[in-house]
Coordinates of all heavy atoms in Angstrom, one line a residue:
S74 N 261.6 -34.4 227.0 CA 260.9 -35.3 226.0 C 260.6 -34.5 224.7 O 260.3 -35.0 223.7 CB 259.7 -35.9 226.6 OG 258.8 -35.0 227.2
G75 N 260.6 -33.1 224.8 CA 260.3 -32.3 223.7 C 258.8 -32.2 223.4 O 258.0 -32.7 224.1
L76 N 258.5 -31.6 222.3 CA 257.1 -31.4 221.8 C 256.8 -32.1 220.5 O 257.6 -32.0 219.6 CB 256.9 -29.9 221.6 CG 257.0 -29.0 222.9 CD1 256.9 -27.5 222.5 CD2 255.9 -29.3 223.9
A77 N 255.7 -32.8 220.5 CA 255.3 -33.4 219.2 C 254.8 -32.4 218.3 O 254.4 -31.3 218.7 CB 254.2 -34.4 219.5
E78 N 254.9 -32.6 217.0 CA 254.6 -31.7 216.0 C 253.1 -31.2 216.1 O 252.8 -30.1 216.0 CB 254.8 -32.2 214.6 CG 254.7 -31.2 213.5 CD 255.8 -30.2 213.4 OE1 256.8 -30.4 214.0 OE2 255.4 -29.0 213.0
A79 N 252.3 -32.2 216.4 CA 250.8 -31.9 216.5 C 250.5 -31.0 217.8 O 249.5 -30.4 217.8 CB 250.0 -33.2 216.5
E80 N 251.4 -31.1 218.8 CA 251.1 -30.4 220.0 C 251.6 -29.0 220.0 O 251.1 -28.1 220.7 CB 251.8 -31.1 221.2 CG 251.3 -32.5 221.4 CD 252.1 -33.3 222.5 OE1 253.2 -32.7 222.9 OE2 251.7 -34.4 222.9
R81 N 252.6 -28.7 219.2 CA 253.3 -27.4 219.3 C 252.4 -26.2 219.0 O 252.5 -25.2 219.6 CB 254.5 -27.4 218.3 CG 255.4 -26.1 218.5 CD 256.6 -26.2 217.6 NE 257.4 -27.4 217.8 CZ 257.6 -28.3 216.9 NH1 257.1 -28.2 215.7 NH2 258.3 -29.4 217.2
D82 N 251.4 -26.4 218.1 CA 250.5 -25.3 217.8 C 249.2 -25.3 218.7 O 248.5 -24.3 218.6 CB 249.9 -25.5 216.3 CG 251.1 -25.4 215.3 OD1 252.0 -24.7 215.6 OD2 251.0 -26.1 214.3
R83 N 249.1 -26.2 219.6 CA 247.9 -26.3 220.5 C 248.2 -26.1 221.9 O 247.3 -25.9 222.7 CB 247.2 -27.6 220.3 CG 246.7 -27.9 218.9 CD 245.7 -29.1 219.0 NE 244.6 -28.8 219.8 CZ 243.8 -29.8 220.3 NH1 244.0 -31.0 220.0 NH2 242.8 -29.5 221.1
I84 N 249.5 -26.0 222.3 CA 249.8 -26.0 223.7 C 249.4 -24.7 224.4 O 249.2 -24.7 225.6 CB 251.3 -26.2 223.9 CG1 252.1 -25.2 223.1 CG2 251.7 -27.7 223.6 CD1 253.6 -25.3 223.4
F85 N 249.2 -23.7 223.6 CA 248.7 -22.4 224.2 C 247.2 -22.2 224.2 O 246.7 -21.2 224.7 CB 249.4 -21.2 223.5 CG 250.9 -21.2 223.6 CD1 251.7 -21.6 222.6 CD2 251.5 -20.7 224.8 CE1 253.1 -21.6 222.7 CE2 252.9 -20.7 224.9 CZ 253.7 -21.1 223.8
E86 N 246.5 -23.3 223.7 CA 245.1 -23.2 223.8 C 244.6 -23.5 225.2 O 245.1 -24.3 225.9 CB 244.5 -24.2 222.8 CG 244.8 -23.9 221.3 CD 244.2 -25.0 220.4 OE1 243.5 -25.9 220.9 OE2 244.5 -24.9 219.2
P87 N 243.4 -22.9 225.5 CA 242.9 -23.2 226.9 C 242.4 -24.6 226.9 O 241.8 -25.2 226.0 CB 241.7 -22.2 227.0 CG 241.4 -21.8 225.7 CD 242.7 -21.8 224.9
F88 N 242.7 -25.2 228.1 CA 242.2 -26.6 228.4 C 242.9 -27.7 227.6 O 242.6 -28.9 227.7 CB 240.7 -26.8 228.3 CG 239.9 -25.8 229.1 CD1 239.2 -24.8 228.4 CD2 239.9 -25.8 230.5 CE1 238.5 -23.8 229.2 CE2 239.2 -24.9 231.2 CZ 238.5 -23.9 230.5
F89 N 244.0 -27.3 226.8 CA 244.7 -28.3 226.2 C 246.0 -28.6 227.0 O 246.7 -27.7 227.3 CB 245.1 -27.9 224.7 CG 246.0 -28.9 224.1 CD1 245.5 -30.0 223.4 CD2 247.4 -28.8 224.1 CE1 246.2 -30.9 222.8 CE2 248.2 -29.8 223.5 CZ 247.6 -30.8 222.8
T90 N 246.2 -29.9 227.3 CA 247.4 -30.2 228.2 C 248.0 -31.5 227.7 O 247.3 -32.4 227.2 CB 247.0 -30.3 229.6 OG1 248.1 -30.6 230.4 CG2 245.9 -31.3 229.9
T91 N 249.3 -31.7 227.9 CA 250.0 -33.0 227.6 C 250.2 -33.7 229.0 O 250.8 -34.8 228.9 CB 251.3 -32.7 227.0 OG1 252.1 -31.9 227.7 CG2 251.1 -32.1 225.6
K92 N 249.9 -33.1 230.1 CA 250.1 -33.8 231.4 C 248.8 -34.6 231.8 O 247.7 -34.1 231.5 CB 250.4 -32.8 232.5 CG 251.6 -31.9 232.2 CD 251.8 -30.9 233.3 CE 253.0 -30.0 233.0 NZ 253.2 -29.0 234.1
P93 N 249.0 -35.7 232.5 CA 247.9 -36.5 232.9 C 246.9 -35.8 233.8 O 245.7 -36.0 233.7 CB 248.5 -37.7 233.6 CG 249.9 -37.8 233.1 CD 250.3 -36.4 232.8
N94 N 247.4 -35.0 234.7 CA 246.6 -34.2 235.6 C 246.6 -32.7 235.4 O 246.2 -32.0 236.3 CB 247.0 -34.6 237.0 CG 246.9 -36.0 237.4 OD1 246.0 -36.7 237.0 ND2 247.9 -36.6 238.0
G95 N 247.0 -32.3 234.2 CA 247.0 -30.9 233.9 C 245.7 -30.3 233.6 O 244.7 -31.0 233.2
M96 N 245.6 -28.9 233.8 CA 244.3 -28.2 233.5 C 244.3 -27.6 232.2 O 243.3 -27.2 231.6 CB 244.0 -27.1 234.6 CG 243.7 -27.7 236.0 SD 243.3 -26.4 237.1 CE 241.8 -25.7 236.4
G97 N 245.5 -27.4 231.6 CA 245.6 -26.8 230.3 C 245.4 -25.3 230.3 O 245.0 -24.6 229.4
M98 N 245.7 -24.7 231.5 CA 245.6 -23.2 231.6 C 246.9 -22.5 231.8 O 246.9 -21.3 231.6 CB 244.6 -22.9 232.8 CG 243.3 -23.5 232.8 SD 242.3 -22.9 231.4 CE 241.9 -21.2 232.0
G99 N 248.0 -23.2 232.2 CA 249.2 -22.6 232.5 C 249.8 -21.8 231.4 O 250.2 -20.6 231.5
L100 N 250.0 -22.5 230.2 CA 250.6 -21.8 229.1 C 249.7 -20.7 228.5 O 250.2 -19.7 228.0 CB 251.1 -22.8 228.0 CG 252.2 -23.7 228.4 CD1 252.5 -24.7 227.3 CD2 253.5 -22.9 228.6
M101 N 248.4 -21.0 228.5 CA 247.5 -19.9 228.1 C 247.6 -18.7 228.9 O 247.7 -17.6 228.4 CB 246.1 -20.4 228.1 CG 245.1 -19.5 227.5 SD 243.4 -19.6 228.3 CE 243.7 -18.8 229.8
F102 N 247.7 -18.9 230.3 CA 248.0 -17.7 231.2 C 249.3 -17.0 230.8 O 249.3 -15.8 230.8 CB 248.0 -18.3 232.6 CG 248.5 -17.2 233.6 CD1 247.7 -16.3 234.1 CD2 249.8 -17.2 234.0 CE1 248.1 -15.3 235.0 CE2 250.3 -16.3 234.9 CZ 249.4 -15.4 235.4
C103 N 250.3 -17.8 230.6 CA 251.6 -17.2 230.3 C 251.6 -16.3 229.0 O 252.0 -15.2 229.0 CB 252.7 -18.3 230.1 SG 253.1 -19.2 231.6
R104 N 251.0 -16.9 228.0 CA 250.9 -16.1 226.8 C 250.0 -14.8 226.9 O 250.3 -13.8 226.4 CB 250.3 -17.0 225.6 CG 250.0 -16.2 224.3 CD 249.8 -17.1 223.2 NE 251.0 -17.6 222.5 CZ 251.0 -18.3 221.4 NH1 249.9 -18.7 220.8 NH2 252.2 -18.7 220.9
T105 N 248.9 -15.0 227.7 CA 248.0 -13.9 227.9 C 248.8 -12.7 228.6 O 248.7 -11.5 228.3 CB 246.8 -14.3 228.8 OG1 246.1 -15.3 228.1 CG2 245.9 -13.1 229.0
V106 N 249.5 -13.1 229.6 CA 250.3 -12.1 230.4 C 251.3 -11.4 229.5 O 251.5 -10.2 229.5 CB 250.9 -12.7 231.7 CG1 251.9 -11.8 232.3 CG2 249.9 -13.1 232.7
I107 N 252.1 -12.3 228.8 CA 253.2 -11.7 228.0 C 252.6 -10.8 226.9 O 253.1 -9.7 226.6 CB 254.0 -12.8 227.4 CG1 254.8 -13.6 228.4 CG2 255.0 -12.3 226.4 CD1 255.7 -12.8 229.3

């Protein structure tokens, strides 16, 4: 489905998620590790 323009800059923020049951920590963890 791709990324909405408004979401692309926020998906790496903690607790921000586009999934109904997401925690918003996964991508933040990925960026932190990388």
Side-chain angles (χ1 to χ4, degrees):
S74 53
L76 297 171
E78 188 67 28
E80 297 173 353
R81 190 176 301 118
D82 296 329
R83 299 193 59 197
I84 55 176
F85 296 101
E86 295 179 4
F88 306 112
F89 178 83
T90 179
T91 59
K92 301 179 182 179
N94 299 317
M96 291 184 64
M98 300 296 288
L100 288 175
M101 188 209 72
F102 168 82
C103 293
R104 173 169 277 185
T105 301
V106 170
I107 294 300

